Amino acid sequence: MSDDRSFHVLEAVPHRLEGGPDRPRRRWSVEAKMALIEETLKPGANVSAIARQAGIAPAQLFGWRRKAMQAGVVQGEPQEQRLGFVEVTPTSSSMIEIVIADVVVRVAADIDQNHLVNILRVVRRA
């Protein structure tokens, strides 16, 4: 440090939302939101990919979809199409047969539960 005892006073005035985006907030019409939400409800739709393609955060689109479902504006997939689990008790045979729509999955009765879950997830995506 020098022997010079002078100092400078710096005045900092923060700009509102400094560091935030320079562009103004976009306003989405109800029709545009509904078009994106409807696209996410199609079988096999990837909500995150749809959001990125539209230039919004996936969390934003998930939020719009959740609010629309809670308001009853749109409905998700029917209950019978959702993947559910039932207790499986092995019988005298060493195979388990699981029928999901038009897909039949046959596995050994002593299959690891985590492995079975992974198999069913792959079948559901297909």
mmCIF file of all heavy atoms in Angstrom, residues 33-67:
data_model
loop_
_atom_site.group_PDB
_atom_site.id
_atom_site.type_symbol
_atom_site.label_atom_id
_atom_site.label_comp_id
_atom_site.label_asym_id
_atom_site.label_seq_id
_atom_site.Cartn_x
_atom_site.Cartn_y
_atom_site.Cartn_z
ATOM 1 N N LYS A 33 -50.467 -21.265 -25.222
ATOM 2 C CA LYS A 33 -50.233 -22.150 -24.074
ATOM 3 C C LYS A 33 -50.968 -23.474 -24.266
ATOM 4 O O LYS A 33 -50.403 -24.546 -24.042
ATOM 5 C CB LYS A 33 -50.713 -21.490 -22.775
ATOM 6 C CG LYS A 33 -49.835 -20.380 -22.282
ATOM 7 C CD LYS A 33 -50.399 -19.827 -20.976
ATOM 8 C CE LYS A 33 -49.632 -18.645 -20.471
ATOM 9 N NZ LYS A 33 -50.177 -18.116 -19.205
ATOM 10 N N MET A 34 -52.232 -23.387 -24.685
ATOM 11 C CA MET A 34 -53.030 -24.603 -24.854
ATOM 12 C C MET A 34 -52.460 -25.493 -25.955
ATOM 13 O O MET A 34 -52.474 -26.724 -25.834
ATOM 14 C CB MET A 34 -54.491 -24.251 -25.161
ATOM 15 C CG MET A 34 -55.238 -23.677 -23.972
ATOM 16 S SD MET A 34 -55.162 -24.709 -22.495
ATOM 17 C CE MET A 34 -55.964 -26.179 -23.072
ATOM 18 N N ALA A 35 -51.924 -24.896 -27.013
ATOM 19 C CA ALA A 35 -51.332 -25.690 -28.094
ATOM 20 C C ALA A 35 -50.126 -26.470 -27.566
ATOM 21 O O ALA A 35 -49.965 -27.663 -27.872
ATOM 22 C CB ALA A 35 -50.925 -24.785 -29.252
ATOM 23 N N LEU A 36 -49.297 -25.817 -26.758
ATOM 24 C CA LEU A 36 -48.134 -26.501 -26.183
ATOM 25 C C LEU A 36 -48.569 -27.574 -25.192
ATOM 26 O O LEU A 36 -48.020 -28.685 -25.176
ATOM 27 C CB LEU A 36 -47.205 -25.492 -25.499
ATOM 28 C CG LEU A 36 -46.420 -24.580 -26.430
ATOM 29 C CD1 LEU A 36 -45.703 -23.488 -25.651
ATOM 30 C CD2 LEU A 36 -45.418 -25.394 -27.234
ATOM 31 N N ILE A 37 -49.559 -27.265 -24.372
ATOM 32 C CA ILE A 37 -50.042 -28.237 -23.383
ATOM 33 C C ILE A 37 -50.622 -29.455 -24.084
ATOM 34 O O ILE A 37 -50.343 -30.591 -23.698
ATOM 35 C CB ILE A 37 -51.083 -27.578 -22.442
ATOM 36 C CG1 ILE A 37 -50.395 -26.544 -21.543
ATOM 37 C CG2 ILE A 37 -51.791 -28.631 -21.601
ATOM 38 C CD1 ILE A 37 -51.359 -25.650 -20.783
ATOM 39 N N GLU A 38 -51.432 -29.241 -25.112
ATOM 40 C CA GLU A 38 -52.018 -30.361 -25.854
ATOM 41 C C GLU A 38 -50.939 -31.233 -26.483
ATOM 42 O O GLU A 38 -51.062 -32.455 -26.519
ATOM 43 C CB GLU A 38 -52.973 -29.846 -26.941
ATOM 44 C CG GLU A 38 -54.246 -29.219 -26.410
ATOM 45 C CD GLU A 38 -55.163 -30.214 -25.710
ATOM 46 O OE1 GLU A 38 -55.136 -31.409 -26.053
ATOM 47 O OE2 GLU A 38 -55.906 -29.779 -24.812
ATOM 48 N N GLU A 39 -49.858 -30.605 -26.950
ATOM 49 C CA GLU A 39 -48.763 -31.369 -27.533
ATOM 50 C C GLU A 39 -48.091 -32.264 -26.488
ATOM 51 O O GLU A 39 -47.680 -33.374 -26.793
ATOM 52 C CB GLU A 39 -47.740 -30.411 -28.151
ATOM 53 C CG GLU A 39 -46.740 -31.089 -29.040
ATOM 54 C CD GLU A 39 -45.838 -30.105 -29.755
ATOM 55 O OE1 GLU A 39 -46.201 -28.917 -29.874
ATOM 56 O OE2 GLU A 39 -44.756 -30.536 -30.192
ATOM 57 N N THR A 40 -48.024 -31.777 -25.242
ATOM 58 C CA THR A 40 -47.393 -32.582 -24.189
ATOM 59 C C THR A 40 -48.249 -33.768 -23.774
ATOM 60 O O THR A 40 -47.737 -34.706 -23.165
ATOM 61 C CB THR A 40 -47.107 -31.742 -22.924
ATOM 62 O OG1 THR A 40 -48.334 -31.342 -22.312
ATOM 63 C CG2 THR A 40 -46.254 -30.545 -23.235
ATOM 64 N N LEU A 41 -49.534 -33.736 -24.069
ATOM 65 C CA LEU A 41 -50.436 -34.811 -23.651
ATOM 66 C C LEU A 41 -50.504 -35.959 -24.657
ATOM 67 O O LEU A 41 -51.142 -36.971 -24.387
ATOM 68 C CB LEU A 41 -51.839 -34.244 -23.412
ATOM 69 C CG LEU A 41 -51.930 -33.232 -22.264
ATOM 70 C CD1 LEU A 41 -53.318 -32.632 -22.204
ATOM 71 C CD2 LEU A 41 -51.559 -33.863 -20.936
ATOM 72 N N LYS A 42 -49.852 -35.805 -25.800
ATOM 73 C CA LYS A 42 -49.843 -36.881 -26.789
ATOM 74 C C LYS A 42 -49.010 -38.043 -26.270
ATOM 75 O O LYS A 42 -48.017 -37.831 -25.553
ATOM 76 C CB LYS A 42 -49.267 -36.377 -28.113
ATOM 77 C CG LYS A 42 -50.138 -35.339 -28.779
ATOM 78 C CD LYS A 42 -49.500 -34.836 -30.050
ATOM 79 C CE LYS A 42 -50.350 -33.746 -30.692
ATOM 80 N NZ LYS A 42 -49.666 -33.133 -31.829
ATOM 81 N N PRO A 43 -49.369 -39.273 -26.603
ATOM 82 C CA PRO A 43 -48.606 -40.437 -26.138
ATOM 83 C C PRO A 43 -47.149 -40.341 -26.581
ATOM 84 O O PRO A 43 -46.856 -40.024 -27.730
ATOM 85 C CB PRO A 43 -49.303 -41.624 -26.807
ATOM 86 C CG PRO A 43 -50.670 -41.127 -27.139
ATOM 87 C CD PRO A 43 -50.538 -39.662 -27.391
ATOM 88 N N GLY A 44 -46.247 -40.561 -25.641
ATOM 89 C CA GLY A 44 -44.816 -40.555 -25.926
ATOM 90 C C GLY A 44 -44.202 -39.171 -26.027
ATOM 91 O O GLY A 44 -43.042 -39.034 -26.402
ATOM 92 N N ALA A 45 -44.961 -38.124 -25.692
ATOM 93 C CA ALA A 45 -44.445 -36.760 -25.790
ATOM 94 C C ALA A 45 -43.374 -36.510 -24.729
ATOM 95 O O ALA A 45 -43.477 -36.981 -23.602
ATOM 96 C CB ALA A 45 -45.577 -35.752 -25.625
ATOM 97 N N ASN A 46 -42.347 -35.755 -25.101
ATOM 98 C CA ASN A 46 -41.275 -35.375 -24.185
ATOM 99 C C ASN A 46 -41.479 -33.899 -23.853
ATOM 100 O O ASN A 46 -41.203 -33.024 -24.671
ATOM 101 C CB ASN A 46 -39.920 -35.613 -24.853
ATOM 102 C CG ASN A 46 -38.759 -35.296 -23.941
ATOM 103 O OD1 ASN A 46 -38.846 -34.439 -23.071
ATOM 104 N ND2 ASN A 46 -37.666 -35.993 -24.164
ATOM 105 N N VAL A 47 -41.964 -33.631 -22.647
ATOM 106 C CA VAL A 47 -42.326 -32.268 -22.256
ATOM 107 C C VAL A 47 -41.106 -31.350 -22.297
ATOM 108 O O VAL A 47 -41.179 -30.220 -22.772
ATOM 109 C CB VAL A 47 -42.987 -32.246 -20.855
ATOM 110 C CG1 VAL A 47 -43.322 -30.824 -20.445
ATOM 111 C CG2 VAL A 47 -44.240 -33.102 -20.845
ATOM 112 N N SER A 48 -39.971 -31.836 -21.825
ATOM 113 C CA SER A 48 -38.762 -31.003 -21.815
ATOM 114 C C SER A 48 -38.335 -30.625 -23.223
ATOM 115 O O SER A 48 -37.957 -29.475 -23.482
ATOM 116 C CB SER A 48 -37.625 -31.734 -21.102
ATOM 117 O OG SER A 48 -37.940 -31.928 -19.746
ATOM 118 N N ALA A 49 -38.400 -31.563 -24.152
ATOM 119 C CA ALA A 49 -38.019 -31.274 -25.539
ATOM 120 C C ALA A 49 -38.986 -30.274 -26.164
ATOM 121 O O ALA A 49 -38.573 -29.363 -26.892
ATOM 122 C CB ALA A 49 -37.976 -32.561 -26.356
ATOM 123 N N ILE A 50 -40.270 -30.415 -25.868
ATOM 124 C CA ILE A 50 -41.277 -29.493 -26.409
ATOM 125 C C ILE A 50 -41.020 -28.078 -25.871
ATOM 126 O O ILE A 50 -41.081 -27.099 -26.609
ATOM 127 C CB ILE A 50 -42.699 -29.972 -26.059
ATOM 128 C CG1 ILE A 50 -42.999 -31.285 -26.792
ATOM 129 C CG2 ILE A 50 -43.746 -28.911 -26.394
ATOM 130 C CD1 ILE A 50 -44.240 -32.001 -26.304
ATOM 131 N N ALA A 51 -40.699 -27.983 -24.582
ATOM 132 C CA ALA A 51 -40.433 -26.683 -23.969
ATOM 133 C C ALA A 51 -39.190 -26.038 -24.586
ATOM 134 O O ALA A 51 -39.210 -24.850 -24.933
ATOM 135 C CB ALA A 51 -40.255 -26.839 -22.456
ATOM 136 N N ARG A 52 -38.123 -26.808 -24.727
ATOM 137 C CA ARG A 52 -36.896 -26.263 -25.320
ATOM 138 C C ARG A 52 -37.147 -25.793 -26.750
ATOM 139 O O ARG A 52 -36.638 -24.755 -27.170
ATOM 140 C CB ARG A 52 -35.777 -27.302 -25.280
ATOM 141 C CG ARG A 52 -35.162 -27.449 -23.895
ATOM 142 C CD ARG A 52 -33.889 -28.285 -23.958
ATOM 143 N NE ARG A 52 -34.153 -29.648 -24.397
ATOM 144 C CZ ARG A 52 -34.471 -30.663 -23.609
ATOM 145 N NH1 ARG A 52 -34.565 -30.471 -22.314
ATOM 146 N NH2 ARG A 52 -34.677 -31.874 -24.104
ATOM 147 N N GLN A 53 -37.942 -26.545 -27.486
ATOM 148 C CA GLN A 53 -38.253 -26.185 -28.869
ATOM 149 C C GLN A 53 -39.034 -24.862 -28.913
ATOM 150 O O GLN A 53 -38.850 -24.061 -29.826
ATOM 151 C CB GLN A 53 -39.057 -27.300 -29.517
ATOM 152 C CG GLN A 53 -39.222 -27.173 -30.998
ATOM 153 C CD GLN A 53 -39.931 -28.387 -31.584
ATOM 154 O OE1 GLN A 53 -40.753 -29.019 -30.917
ATOM 155 N NE2 GLN A 53 -39.607 -28.724 -32.817
ATOM 156 N N ALA A 54 -39.873 -24.632 -27.908
ATOM 157 C CA ALA A 54 -40.655 -23.398 -27.852
ATOM 158 C C ALA A 54 -39.856 -22.243 -27.250
ATOM 159 O O ALA A 54 -40.307 -21.097 -27.272
ATOM 160 C CB ALA A 54 -41.927 -23.622 -27.027
ATOM 161 N N GLY A 55 -38.681 -22.546 -26.704
ATOM 162 C CA GLY A 55 -37.836 -21.497 -26.136
ATOM 163 C C GLY A 55 -38.211 -21.117 -24.716
ATOM 164 O O GLY A 55 -37.954 -19.991 -24.283
ATOM 165 N N ILE A 56 -38.813 -22.048 -23.981
ATOM 166 C CA ILE A 56 -39.153 -21.785 -22.578
ATOM 167 C C ILE A 56 -38.531 -22.858 -21.700
ATOM 168 O O ILE A 56 -38.109 -23.906 -22.198
ATOM 169 C CB ILE A 56 -40.684 -21.738 -22.343
ATOM 170 C CG1 ILE A 56 -41.332 -23.075 -22.709
ATOM 171 C CG2 ILE A 56 -41.307 -20.600 -23.116
ATOM 172 C CD1 ILE A 56 -42.817 -23.139 -22.379
ATOM 173 N N ALA A 57 -38.489 -22.592 -20.426
ATOM 174 C CA ALA A 57 -37.955 -23.560 -19.481
ATOM 175 C C ALA A 57 -38.943 -24.712 -19.322
ATOM 176 O O ALA A 57 -40.159 -24.485 -19.283
ATOM 177 C CB ALA A 57 -37.708 -22.898 -18.121
ATOM 178 N N PRO A 58 -38.449 -25.948 -19.231
ATOM 179 C CA PRO A 58 -39.355 -27.082 -19.033
ATOM 180 C C PRO A 58 -40.253 -26.912 -17.810
ATOM 181 O O PRO A 58 -41.422 -27.275 -17.847
ATOM 182 C CB PRO A 58 -38.414 -28.273 -18.879
ATOM 183 C CG PRO A 58 -37.193 -27.879 -19.639
ATOM 184 C CD PRO A 58 -37.068 -26.391 -19.427
ATOM 185 N N ALA A 59 -39.716 -26.316 -16.741
ATOM 186 C CA ALA A 59 -40.522 -26.122 -15.532
ATOM 187 C C ALA A 59 -41.732 -25.230 -15.805
ATOM 188 O O ALA A 59 -42.803 -25.427 -15.215
ATOM 189 C CB ALA A 59 -39.668 -25.521 -14.420
ATOM 190 N N GLN A 60 -41.565 -24.258 -16.691
ATOM 191 C CA GLN A 60 -42.677 -23.375 -17.042
ATOM 192 C C GLN A 60 -43.797 -24.159 -17.714
ATOM 193 O O GLN A 60 -44.970 -24.025 -17.364
ATOM 194 C CB GLN A 60 -42.194 -22.265 -17.978
ATOM 195 C CG GLN A 60 -43.272 -21.288 -18.380
ATOM 196 C CD GLN A 60 -43.688 -20.401 -17.221
ATOM 197 O OE1 GLN A 60 -42.857 -19.764 -16.604
ATOM 198 N NE2 GLN A 60 -44.966 -20.368 -16.929
ATOM 199 N N LEU A 61 -43.437 -25.010 -18.664
ATOM 200 C CA LEU A 61 -44.444 -25.793 -19.379
ATOM 201 C C LEU A 61 -45.093 -26.821 -18.453
ATOM 202 O O LEU A 61 -46.301 -27.027 -18.501
ATOM 203 C CB LEU A 61 -43.819 -26.481 -20.597
ATOM 204 C CG LEU A 61 -44.775 -27.235 -21.517
ATOM 205 C CD1 LEU A 61 -45.956 -26.379 -21.951
ATOM 206 C CD2 LEU A 61 -44.018 -27.757 -22.741
ATOM 207 N N PHE A 62 -44.300 -27.456 -17.597
ATOM 208 C CA PHE A 62 -44.875 -28.378 -16.617
ATOM 209 C C PHE A 62 -45.868 -27.641 -15.721
ATOM 210 O O PHE A 62 -46.928 -28.163 -15.376
ATOM 211 C CB PHE A 62 -43.783 -29.018 -15.757
ATOM 212 C CG PHE A 62 -43.141 -30.228 -16.368
ATOM 213 C CD1 PHE A 62 -41.835 -30.183 -16.820
ATOM 214 C CD2 PHE A 62 -43.834 -31.426 -16.486
ATOM 215 C CE1 PHE A 62 -41.224 -31.298 -17.371
ATOM 216 C CE2 PHE A 62 -43.239 -32.546 -17.039
ATOM 217 C CZ PHE A 62 -41.932 -32.475 -17.484
ATOM 218 N N GLY A 63 -45.540 -26.411 -15.339
ATOM 219 C CA GLY A 63 -46.440 -25.608 -14.501
ATOM 220 C C GLY A 63 -47.742 -25.284 -15.208
ATOM 221 O O GLY A 63 -48.829 -25.388 -14.622
ATOM 222 N N TRP A 64 -47.633 -24.874 -16.470
ATOM 223 C CA TRP A 64 -48.857 -24.583 -17.246
ATOM 224 C C TRP A 64 -49.730 -25.828 -17.336
ATOM 225 O O TRP A 64 -50.946 -25.762 -17.183
ATOM 226 C CB TRP A 64 -48.507 -24.131 -18.651
ATOM 227 C CG TRP A 64 -47.876 -22.774 -18.764
ATOM 228 C CD1 TRP A 64 -47.793 -21.813 -17.802
ATOM 229 C CD2 TRP A 64 -47.234 -22.238 -19.917
ATOM 230 N NE1 TRP A 64 -47.136 -20.719 -18.286
ATOM 231 C CE2 TRP A 64 -46.783 -20.942 -19.586
ATOM 232 C CE3 TRP A 64 -46.986 -22.722 -21.192
ATOM 233 C CZ2 TRP A 64 -46.106 -20.133 -20.483
ATOM 234 C CZ3 TRP A 64 -46.316 -21.906 -22.088
ATOM 235 C CH2 TRP A 64 -45.883 -20.626 -21.737
ATOM 236 N N ARG A 65 -49.089 -26.958 -17.597
ATOM 237 C CA ARG A 65 -49.847 -28.200 -17.757
ATOM 238 C C ARG A 65 -50.516 -28.598 -16.443
ATOM 239 O O ARG A 65 -51.687 -28.972 -16.422
ATOM 240 C CB ARG A 65 -48.920 -29.319 -18.246
ATOM 241 C CG ARG A 65 -49.674 -30.579 -18.592
ATOM 242 C CD ARG A 65 -48.780 -31.571 -19.234
ATOM 243 N NE ARG A 65 -47.959 -32.231 -18.235
ATOM 244 C CZ ARG A 65 -47.336 -33.380 -18.427
ATOM 245 N NH1 ARG A 65 -47.410 -33.984 -19.588
ATOM 246 N NH2 ARG A 65 -46.621 -33.929 -17.485
ATOM 247 N N ARG A 66 -49.789 -28.489 -15.340
ATOM 248 C CA ARG A 66 -50.347 -28.841 -14.023
ATOM 249 C C ARG A 66 -51.554 -27.957 -13.699
ATOM 250 O O ARG A 66 -52.598 -28.435 -13.266
ATOM 251 C CB ARG A 66 -49.272 -28.715 -12.951
ATOM 252 C CG ARG A 66 -49.750 -29.116 -11.569
ATOM 253 C CD ARG A 66 -48.657 -29.015 -10.505
ATOM 254 N NE ARG A 66 -48.078 -27.686 -10.445
ATOM 255 C CZ ARG A 66 -46.861 -27.357 -10.866
ATOM 256 N NH1 ARG A 66 -46.077 -28.262 -11.398
ATOM 257 N NH2 ARG A 66 -46.420 -26.125 -10.772
ATOM 258 N N LYS A 67 -51.427 -26.646 -13.949
ATOM 259 C CA LYS A 67 -52.542 -25.724 -13.671
ATOM 260 C C LYS A 67 -53.752 -26.031 -14.554
ATOM 261 O O LYS A 67 -54.887 -25.987 -14.086
ATOM 262 C CB LYS A 67 -52.097 -24.276 -13.877
ATOM 263 C CG LYS A 67 -51.195 -23.769 -12.783
ATOM 264 C CD LYS A 67 -50.775 -22.343 -13.046
ATOM 265 C CE LYS A 67 -49.818 -21.858 -11.978
ATOM 266 N NZ LYS A 67 -49.322 -20.501 -12.245
#
